[in-house]
Amino acid sequence: MFVRVKLSVIIPVFNEASTIAALLQKVLAVPIEKEVIIVNDGSTDATQMVLEKFVAPNVKVLHHTINQGKAAAIKTALQFVSGAIVIIQDGDLETEPNDYLHLVQPILEGKAEVVYGSRNLQPAQGERIWTYDIGGRFISWWARILYNQKITDEAACYKVFKTEVIKRVKLKYNRFEFCPEVTARISKQGIKIYELPMHYYPRSFAEGKKMKWTDGLKAFWVLLKLKFTN
Ligand SMILES: Nc1nc2c(ncn2[C@@H]2O[C@H](COP(=O)(O)OP(=O)(O)O)[C@@H](O)[C@H]2O)c(=O)[nH]1
Ligand SMILES: [Mg+2]
């Protein structure tokens, strides 16, 4: 069934020439009214060339000349959002865009303002890097303790927001701190995060994974710091 609410799909991209075209095909095929805002964040591979071929009426491609980070790319994209709901989509193939259809439902039904996907509520399709798996669960536990949110996957890529809610959040960090920062700031506004299962097709570093274990440490620290400061 075609969903008639305008979804703004934000895709921060850094060096994803091997996946971005296939991902865009999948995103555009999801039966929901949407706009796609891609931010090529100073990629040094062929990402820009691939994106130049991708002309479609509901696809906007923006470029940072210098790499600034995932959160910086999301902030750039947010200035152009015109949909009622925003979802963050990574530029790789670790996720399943058809999940949008169930992830937007709690917002459409008025049950939630923010929905997170969780890679821990259904089995992954493939081998996860076990240290990242444990680290992610630990960070989720930390977010539960500090912010009293019932979440199992704080770092999941799929985060869905009512547009007015995400536009209200003042994001100060620029890189992979996006997840802990947005989790902390919306929690401090008293918003409850609704969580639903999402598909997950993990990739390896050889396949282009960019998050480092130190980003997990940063997430721990950002969650703690924002609990007590602004
Ligand atoms: N804009 C931007 N995106 C980045 C940067 N580094 C990684 N990304 C994107 O962030 C997403 C997540 O990266 P990934 O390494 O798969 O981490 P994970 O899926 O969160 O474990 C991918 O779409 C990357 O292209 C960056 O410096 N800038
Ligand atoms: Mg990824």
Side-chain angles (χ1 to χ4, degrees), residues 11-16 39-42 64 67-74 89-92 94 119 132 155-157 174-176 179 200 203 205 208-212:
I11 314 184
V13 185
F14 179 60
N15 289 354
E16 303 286 8
V39 181
N40 170 26
D41 187 29
H64 287 168
N67 176 253
Q68 296 176 38
K70 179 172 175 173
I74 292 170
Q89 166 71 64
D90 283 356
D92 54 48
E94 292 192 282
R119 297 164 294 180
Y132 278 56
C157 145
N174 280 335
R175 294 199 171 269
F176 282 126
C179 291
Y200 185 44
R203 65 174 171 172
F205 289 102
K209 194 165 188 67
K210 293 170 190 71
M211 257 195 127
K212 299 198 262 320

Side-chain angles (χ1 to χ4, degrees), residues 1 13 17 22-23 26 53 56-57 65 73 93 97 106 112 114 118 138 147 160 162 182 185 192 194 205 210 215 228:
M1 201 185 68
V13 185
L23 172 77
K26 289 179 104 179
K53 292 193 197 113
T65 44
L93 293 168
V114 176
S118 171
F138 175 72
Y147 296 101
V160 192
K162 261 188 175 170
V182 84
R185 295 200 189 282
K192 282 287 159 214
Y194 198 104
F205 289 102
K210 293 170 190 71
D215 293 309
F228 300 105

Side-chain angles (χ1 to χ4, degrees), residues 1-228:
M1 201 185 68
F2 192 87
V3 180
R4 290 197 187 283
V5 61
K6 188 164 172 190
L7 178 67
S8 298
V9 181
I10 293 183
I11 314 184
V13 185
F14 179 60
N15 289 354
E16 303 286 8
S18 62
T19 54
I20 190 68
L23 172 77
L24 277 170
Q25 302 285 5
K26 289 179 104 179
V27 168
L28 291 173
V30 181
I32 186 166
E33 190 179 331
K34 68 182 108 45
E35 65 177 357
V36 182
I37 307 175
I38 305 162
V39 181
N40 170 26
D41 187 29
S43 294
T44 50
D45 67 355
T47 296
Q48 178 157 353
M49 256 168 53
V50 176
L51 289 175
E52 273 162 10
K53 292 193 197 113
F54 232 99
V55 186
N58 52 351
V59 177
K60 184 185 257 319
V61 183
L62 305 163
H63 296 278
H64 287 168
T65 44
I66 297 172
N67 176 253
Q68 296 176 38
K70 179 172 175 173
I74 292 170
K75 283 188 264 187
T76 296
L78 279 172
Q79 297 168 27
F80 295 89
V81 159
S82 69
I85 300 178
V86 169
I87 187 164
I88 311 300
Q89 166 71 64
D90 283 356
D92 54 48
L93 293 168
E94 292 192 282
T95 57
E96 169 50 66
N98 276 313
D99 282 345
Y100 302 168
L101 298 172
H102 75 270
L103 291 173
V104 298
Q105 285 306 323
I107 296 180
L108 294 182
E109 290 164 18
K111 289 198 279 195
E113 293 183 296
V114 176
V115 181
Y116 283 13
S118 171
R119 297 164 294 180
N120 297 320
L121 293 177
Q122 68 185 44
Q125 325 280 308
E127 204 55 39
R128 295 180 71 164
I129 305 170
W130 71 271
T131 44
Y132 278 56
D133 189 2
I134 303 277
R137 287 174 201 263
F138 175 72
I139 293 295
S140 305
W141 168 81
W142 188 229
R144 283 202 297 278
I145 300 250
L146 291 174
Y147 296 101
N148 194 25
Q149 293 283 6
K150 291 198 185 81
I151 52 173
T152 62
D153 193 2
E154 185 273 340
C157 145
Y158 281 163
K159 292 185 163 58
V160 192
F161 307 90
K162 261 188 175 170
T163 299
E164 71 228 41
V165 169
I166 186 66
K167 283 200 170 173
R168 214 165 53 212
V169 177
K170 297 262 171 298
L171 295 167
K172 292 188 183 160
Y173 292 90
N174 280 335
R175 294 199 171 269
F176 282 126
E177 301 91 342
F178 174 74
C179 291
E181 182 173 25
V182 84
T183 300
R185 295 200 189 282
I186 58 171
S187 300
K188 283 165 76 166
Q189 289 182 20
I191 294 171
K192 282 287 159 214
I193 299 166
Y194 198 104
E195 198 179 54
L196 289 173
M198 62 177 273
H199 289 89
Y200 185 44
Y201 305 85
R203 65 174 171 172
S204 63
F205 289 102
E207 289 164 318
K209 194 165 188 67
K210 293 170 190 71
M211 257 195 127
K212 299 198 262 320
W213 67 271
T214 47
D215 293 309
L217 286 187
K218 280 189 205 155
F220 179 87
W221 172 242
V222 169
L223 285 168
L224 181 62
K225 187 173 169 203
L226 293 181
K227 172 78 185 174
F228 300 105

